Amino acid sequence: MFKRVAGTKDILPDEAGHWQAIETAARHTFSLFNYREIRTPIIEDAALFNRTLGSTTEIVQKQMFLIHNHPDVYALRPEGTASIARSYLENNLDKTSAFIKLYYIGPMFRLERPQKGRLRQFHHIGCEAIGSQEAALDVEVISLADQLLKGFAITDYKIKINSLGCAEDKERLSLNLKQGLQKEEQNLCPDCRLRIQKNILRVLDCKNDGCQKIVKQLEFKNSHLCQDCLNHFEKVRSGLDSLGIAYQIQPQLVRGLDYYNRTVFEITHPDLGAQDAIGAGGRYNNLIKELGGPDTSGIGFAFGVERLLLASKLGEEKPLNKLTYLITLGDAAKEAGIKILNQLRSYGIACEMDYLSRSLKSAMRAANDLNADYVLILGEDELKKNVISLKEMSGGSQREINIHDLTKELKC
Ligand code: HAM
């Protein structure tokens, strides 16, 4: 017996309604904010991620699913932002609109150690707004995340924000961090000792318990921010205040990807256990330029759908569309039944038939298991009289009606 690959999940029909409800709610909210959908390939040139996420990040160093097709190396995308930036430039979207808002829903792949809420194939609902560096956009993007969560019927989440500042500020932050970590260097894991030399901010995302303990004890201030970046952050905060969006400032929040600058944020939920980030994002003012494009800023975020589902009950209720279940008795009735189903469906009536030639009693049980609203029973006698029995499952009443009136009866 084959088994699914570790860290992947089958989404069975009982669960799929929950997924659909989340996706429908997301599409609705995105359209309220004027975002349009973009779908990019799951495989990309692996170098795209090295260049944008950063060669010293956990994802690039340890978590990429690589496909070697000499001389090319492809990667299963670990996230959406780099692909959207690539697509934005490749399709000249920068030339067709100065400002664009895009959203995406789809699978992402990271070779992580699987555990609750951490998969190797997981799904993002994400968005990117490209073309503006105004703080008002940061405010709108965070309020979009907030509104999406409300649409998913998720409560009790916490929005944590920080500002990394510009490239020079990030340098200053790295220097501050170097000073802070100096005494503890020997107690860091071998990877982090290397990170101190190559990209010290990545020490803050290390999953090693010892390193996390050391990082927690560090003192952070926003002293690395220049005046422009301080002003920007101040505007973001007052914008969120004016919308009544609760947030916490978390100075040690740097995010695990190199493309971020200025505003970064993460949203956590207490029901998720150790992997408590339900979504995260931030601003990337150099990413498009880094890929050879114009000097254009962007900001976005992504929610992990599997984690949203752990916190949301949306869509767990019975689907609203009514189902009619047809039971036929005998070959002639089955033949006529196929035509009846065809006609009902052409009128938009959802229906199903017993394909296992069960007894009336067990076919009724099957209809019940499917939560059918109506059962139709068609035997040889009914067929001769051109009638069909219609049973309402909720009240239990049963009556005979003319087959020609069936669509009318079920429509109302
Ligand atoms: P990220 O923080 O790497 O950001 O991922 C976003 C969210 O995806 C996380 O908060 C988490 O909910 C979910 N997630 C990440 N890894 C896993 C996993 N292995 N299993 C299950 N869920 C996971 C990004 O990917 C950025 N591209 C977000 C962004 C968009 N920034 C700007 N625009």
Side-chain angles (χ1 to χ4, degrees):
M1 279 263 260
F2 288 110
K3 299 227 161 159
R4 66 197 148 73
V5 171
T8 66
K9 217 172 125 19
D10 296 314
I11 300 154
L12 299 177
D14 275 351
E15 217 189 323
H18 202 177
W19 281 73
Q20 286 166 3
I22 292 276
E23 288 168 7
T24 305
R27 288 177 198 284
H28 173 70
T29 305
F30 280 131
S31 74
L32 292 178
F33 282 72
N34 196 32
Y35 279 75
R36 294 172 71 208
E37 186 173 6
I38 182 165
R39 301 182 192 201
T40 58
I42 281 165
I43 48 173
E44 294 276 359
D45 186 334
L48 171 69
F49 301 109
N50 295 11
R51 173 77 76 84
T52 54
L53 312 190
S55 56
T56 51
T57 54
E58 282 266 313
I59 296 185
V60 168
Q61 283 197 331
K62 298 185 180 161
Q63 300 173 351
M64 296 262 271
F65 274 98
L66 297 174
I67 302 165
H68 293 271
N69 182 38
H70 188 74
D72 302 317
V73 184
Y74 306 134
L76 297 184
R77 61 181 186 193
E79 60 104 59
T81 313
S83 304
I84 306 299
R86 193 256 324 129
S87 173
Y88 172 81
L89 289 174
E90 188 172 347
N91 295 293
N92 295 317
L93 300 185
D94 56 318
K95 302 201 175 63
T96 48
S97 42
F99 177 63
I100 192 165
K101 287 169 154 182
L102 304 163
Y103 80 87
Y104 48 95
I105 299 178
M108 306 291 159
F109 304 85
R110 295 183 193 175
L111 198 51
E112 300 207 64
R113 197 157 41 81
Q115 64 180 85
K116 182 185 168 199
R118 192 205 274 162
L119 291 135
R120 290 181 170 174
Q121 177 177 337
F122 59 99
H123 296 75
H124 269 173
I125 290 179
C127 64
E128 314 296 342
I130 305 175
S132 163
Q133 46 180 317
E134 289 188 11
L137 181 62
D138 305 35
V139 175
E140 191 194 77
V141 165
I142 296 172
S143 79
L144 165 61
D146 183 62
Q147 190 126 334
L148 279 163
L149 289 168
K150 293 198 167 95
F152 302 147
I154 295 178
T155 51
D156 300 331
Y157 51 87
K158 283 203 171 70
I159 302 176
K160 298 167 182 172
I161 66 169
N162 190 24
S163 176
L164 297 176
C166 55
E168 293 77 44
D169 295 351
K170 278 172 82 174
E171 284 285 317
R172 246 190 311 273
L173 177 62
S174 299
L175 267 177
N176 292 353
L177 200 55
K178 205 169 227 165
Q179 282 165 2
L181 284 173
Q182 227 161 24
K183 276 192 259 134
E184 296 287 358
E185 190 167 341
Q186 289 321 305
N187 301 323
L188 293 170
C189 74
D191 281 349
C192 279
R193 268 178 264 155
L194 263 180
R195 286 178 185 130
I196 287 197
Q197 310 307 327
K198 293 194 165 162
N199 190 348
I200 195 165
L201 291 185
R202 299 286 68 90
V203 174
L204 302 192
D205 337 302
C206 182
K207 305 234 165 77
N208 179 293
D209 288 345
C211 299
Q212 284 190 356
K213 217 184 249 167
I214 293 170
V215 165
K216 273 202 187 111
Q217 284 159 2
L218 288 173
E219 282 207 9
F220 288 86
K221 297 182 197 90
N222 279 335
S223 56
H224 62 286
L225 293 181
C226 66
Q227 197 55 49
D228 272 359
C229 290
L230 259 180
N231 291 347
H232 185 272
F233 195 40
E234 184 49 45
K235 281 186 192 161
V236 174
R237 289 162 51 183
S238 63
L240 292 174
D241 291 340
S242 72
L243 294 182
I245 294 175
Y247 61 88
Q248 290 174 356
I249 295 176
Q250 194 159 79
Q252 61 272 45
L253 179 68
V254 297
R255 309 275 300 116
L257 308 165
D258 278 359
Y259 54 61
Y260 290 116
N261 57 8
R262 287 202 164 166
T263 314
V264 285
F265 59 98
E266 190 171 83
I267 303 175
T268 57
H269 195 282
D271 288 358
L272 300 189
Q275 304 301 316
D276 65 350
I278 209 164
R283 185 164 267 294
Y284 43 88
N285 290 352
N286 302 318
L287 174 62
I288 305 285
K289 199 168 162 202
E290 181 68 32
L291 289 176
D295 195 358
T296 306
S297 319
I299 179 167
F301 64 83
F303 284 121
V305 181
E306 287 77 2
R307 296 188 191 177
L308 290 175
L309 291 166
L310 289 173
S312 163
K313 300 272 174 277
L314 197 70
E316 279 182 350
E317 61 280 0
K318 180 176 174 276
L320 283 178
N321 71 325
K322 293 191 166 177
L323 183 73
T324 298
Y325 192 83
L326 173 65
I327 302 171
T328 56
L329 305 166
D331 288 346
K334 177 146 283 173
E335 214 171 289
I338 292 168
K339 284 193 202 146
I340 291 172
L341 288 197
N342 204 34
Q343 197 194 355
L344 291 181
R345 286 172 184 150
S346 72
Y347 278 90
I349 295 163
C351 45
E352 174 60 297
M353 175 160 106
D354 171 37
Y355 284 107
L356 298 179
S357 298
R358 283 178 267 221
S359 68
L360 183 58
K361 197 171 158 200
S362 57
M364 283 302 292
R365 209 175 301 130
N368 208 34
D369 290 347
L370 283 174
N371 278 327
D373 297 275
Y374 301 104
V375 169
L376 300 170
I377 303 165
L378 185 66
E380 309 283 316
D381 284 351
E382 282 95 347
L383 200 56
K384 274 187 209 134
K385 290 193 275 175
N386 211 27
V387 294
I388 194 161
S389 291
L390 171 65
K391 185 176 167 77
E392 276 185 47
M393 295 298 271
S394 56
S397 68
Q398 185 166 337
R399 63 206 153 92
E400 246 178 26
I401 56 168
N402 194 297
I403 289 182
H404 294 300
D405 296 333
L406 192 53
T407 320
K408 209 165 51 194
E409 286 282 338
L410 293 175
K411 267 282 193 196
C412 46

